[in-house]
Amino acid sequence: MSSLDELYKKMLQNAVTGEDYTVPEDADEDQLDCLLHPEAHPLVWRTESCDCAKNGKSSCMSVCEFGAITSDPEKGISIDDKQCVGCQACIDECKLHNLTPSKDIMPVVETLHTYQGPVYALIAPAFSGQFGDDITSGKLRTALKQLGFAGMIEVAIFADILTLKEALEFDKNINSEADFQLTSCCCPMWIAMIKKLYHQLLPNVPGAVSPMIAGGRTIKALHPQAKTVFIGPCLAKKAERREPDIADAIDYVLTYQELRDLLEASDIDLASLAEDDRQHASRAGISYAYAGGVSEAVQKTVEKLNPNRPISIHTRKADGVPGCKALINDILEGHREGNFFEGMGCVGGCVGGPRAIIDKEKGKSHVQSYGAAAKYDTPMENPYVIELLKRLGFDTIEDFLEKSDMYNREFK
């Protein structure tokens, strides 16, 4: 266990229990500041000095697709936070284990203990099965309330809203065989890839925020004093939260692994908790957790929205960075074979995220079972979507398409 891991666990236990704890005099001041003020540091922390760059190009540098890592013969590697998208490839590649992902957990615990307004947990659709085969959404909601959250909202309901938005945009914009659309929802790595490497395709990307951002903005529109904490399997969501045009939505991002650490430090036995079940999402929104789920959700919604449209929706999907790049290259070379394209940066989709707890195939199985139990198939039948949109001032679907500024962003 590294010195940072030991410091992290001791500080977390102290923060949760209120026990007296003196930070060791030999604790690394930079590591301590990383834990206490993660927003002031890069997404990837270098925990020890790195000598590999002195012998030429480092292995972590070679796997970075976004040019975020540079090396210096004297100082070793450095990571440009403006270029880093949080894919975690460098962390996985580092043979010396000198790189570690950012942790927001200490500020979250402090907020839960001291903030006078409501703090809401927004949990990503991939949560099913992450904390145990028999740990339901109701038990997890009870646990989060015990931790001090005002409530738990499943981000899948906002995936429903974004599914409806993207279906409406497809129906409006795709009017010939030459037209096509790339989804702008869900995966920040996919969007970062298009923005940084394939920006010529941006005109084909409708300016919609992700379900995480939609969720944060919705909660703050309805509860202006609220703080929002997103919980998911992805380090890239921490990068997305920091993007200037959408930084108003989410205050902190925890990974499933960070939440597991917090539950353990709080001595909460999930299996013994009472149920607090309030599923509001359709199967379509829940399916965002795995590769192909977004395109399937939008396709079904388009077909229900306008079953007789002359240009049918034909979807293609890719997952993993190499697969996404291959799909985009097909589009650029004219080999589209589709008109709606979905990309997910992790193999398997969000269930394969680098900060997930369980294997991606097991995660997908759990999500699919949870989705199969949903009362509604798409957002078109989901009364909670309509009710929520009305509370936000959208009286009709047409209003939602034309005036949904809170769910829009401009890609540059």
Side-chain angles (χ1 to χ4, degrees):
M1 182 182 293
S2 71
S3 59
L4 176 62
D5 289 334
E6 293 175 353
L7 184 64
Y8 162 67
K9 288 184 179 298
K10 289 179 179 177
M11 289 182 64
L12 177 58
Q13 187 67 41
N14 174 66
V16 167
T17 62
E19 297 173 1
D20 291 334
Y21 170 64
T22 302
V23 177
E25 292 184 1
D26 61 348
D28 186 289
E29 290 187 9
D30 188 58
Q31 291 183 8
L32 180 62
D33 198 64
C34 283
L35 290 170
L36 294 176
H37 308 288
E39 73 285 351
H41 296 271
L43 287 173
V44 176
W45 301 341
R46 198 179 77 178
T47 58
E48 302 289 345
S49 61
C50 181
D51 295 329
C52 62
K54 296 180 179 180
N55 300 318
K57 191 174 182 180
S58 62
S59 58
C60 59
M61 185 176 175
S62 67
V63 299
C64 179
E65 298 278 354
F66 301 96
I69 303 177
T70 56
S71 64
D72 182 277
E74 298 299 325
K75 298 179 181 179
I77 67 158
S78 61
I79 299 172
D80 183 348
D81 208 34
K82 293 182 179 179
Q83 296 299 319
C84 177
V85 301
C87 69
Q88 198 178 305
C90 60
I91 296 174
D92 295 338
E93 181 65 21
C94 182
K95 303 296 191 296
L96 300 175
H97 306 292
N98 286 343
L99 300 176
T100 194
S102 172
K103 302 179 191 297
D104 284 7
I105 195 165
M106 297 304 296
V108 169
V109 173
E110 176 69 15
T111 299
L112 290 171
H113 287 176
T114 64
Y115 186 63
Q116 297 301 307
V119 184
Y120 287 96
L122 292 84
I123 194 154
F127 74 86
S128 295
Q130 293 292 326
F131 302 94
D133 292 345
D134 299 321
I135 303 305
T136 63
S137 61
K139 289 181 181 295
L140 195 56
R141 180 174 285 106
T142 299
L144 287 165
K145 287 183 177 179
Q146 286 190 10
L147 289 172
F149 288 96
M152 182 190 92
I153 298 96
E154 293 184 38
V155 175
I157 183 67
F158 304 107
D160 266 354
I161 290 175
L162 271 299
T163 296
L164 180 59
K165 179 174 171 61
E166 295 216 340
L168 288 165
E169 287 167 337
F170 183 94
D171 192 51
K172 178 182 177 181
N173 298 327
I174 309 303
N175 298 304
S176 75
E177 296 295 345
D179 298 329
F180 63 94
Q181 180 172 316
L182 282 73
T183 178
S184 60
C185 278
C186 198
C187 181
M189 284 174 59
W190 167 248
I191 293 303
M193 191 180 303
I194 297 170
K195 288 169 62 178
K196 295 174 183 291
L197 306 179
Y198 303 99
H199 49 82
Q200 64 267 50
L201 289 175
L202 282 175
N204 299 94
V205 181
V209 300
S210 71
M212 176 184 82
I213 300 300
R217 285 185 172 173
T218 300
I219 288 172
K220 292 191 174 188
L222 299 174
H223 305 283
Q225 302 304 314
K227 295 284 188 181
T228 52
V229 180
F230 177 82
I231 304 169
C234 183
L235 182 63
K237 285 295 186 182
K238 293 179 185 268
E240 182 186 8
R241 182 194 75 80
R242 298 183 181 190
E243 293 186 40
D245 65 314
I246 52 177
D248 61 316
I250 298 295
D251 294 292
Y252 304 104
V253 171
L254 296 180
T255 66
Y256 291 149
Q257 293 180 10
E258 286 176 89
L259 177 57
R260 176 191 60 191
D261 293 344
L262 180 54
L263 291 167
E264 290 177 354
S266 303
D267 200 24
I268 291 177
D269 178 18
L270 288 169
S272 67
L273 298 181
E275 291 284 352
D276 187 358
D277 191 15
R278 305 181 190 185
Q279 189 189 69
H280 294 145
S282 75
R283 189 175 74 84
I286 294 169
S287 70
Y288 271 52
Y290 52 84
V294 178
S295 51
E296 178 186 344
V298 174
Q299 180 173 5
K300 287 186 175 182
T301 305
V302 167
E303 290 169 350
K304 291 191 176 184
L305 182 70
N306 189 355
N308 298 315
R309 74 183 325 274
I311 305 297
S312 299
I313 182 170
H314 298 288
T315 66
R316 283 186 65 187
K317 65 179 177 68
D319 57 328
V321 171
C324 288
K325 293 179 75 171
L327 175 61
I328 292 175
N329 287 329
D330 274 354
I331 295 170
L332 294 176
E333 292 169 6
H335 308 307
R336 289 193 289 114
E337 300 174 4
N339 54 19
F340 184 90
F341 300 92
E342 169 205 322
M344 289 204 175
C346 296
V347 176
C350 298
V351 293
R355 311 312 293 172
I357 297 173
I358 62 176
D359 173 79
K360 61 180 177 294
E361 293 302 327
K362 185 177 181 181
K364 179 179 179 179
S365 177
H366 275 284
V367 172
Q368 288 180 320
S369 296
Y370 186 57
K375 294 180 180 179
Y376 313 103
D377 193 40
T378 74
M380 294 293 290
E381 307 95 49
N382 189 345
Y384 298 109
V385 169
I386 306 303
E387 177 186 344
L388 189 52
L389 291 178
K390 285 184 176 180
R391 289 185 64 187
L392 293 168
F394 303 111
D395 294 325
T396 66
I397 287 180
E398 289 74 21
D399 279 347
F400 176 54
L401 179 61
E402 298 300 329
K403 303 175 184 178
S404 55
D405 291 347
M406 68 182 296
Y407 297 135
N408 288 338
R409 67 182 302 193
E410 183 179 349
F411 293 123
K412 296 180 181 180

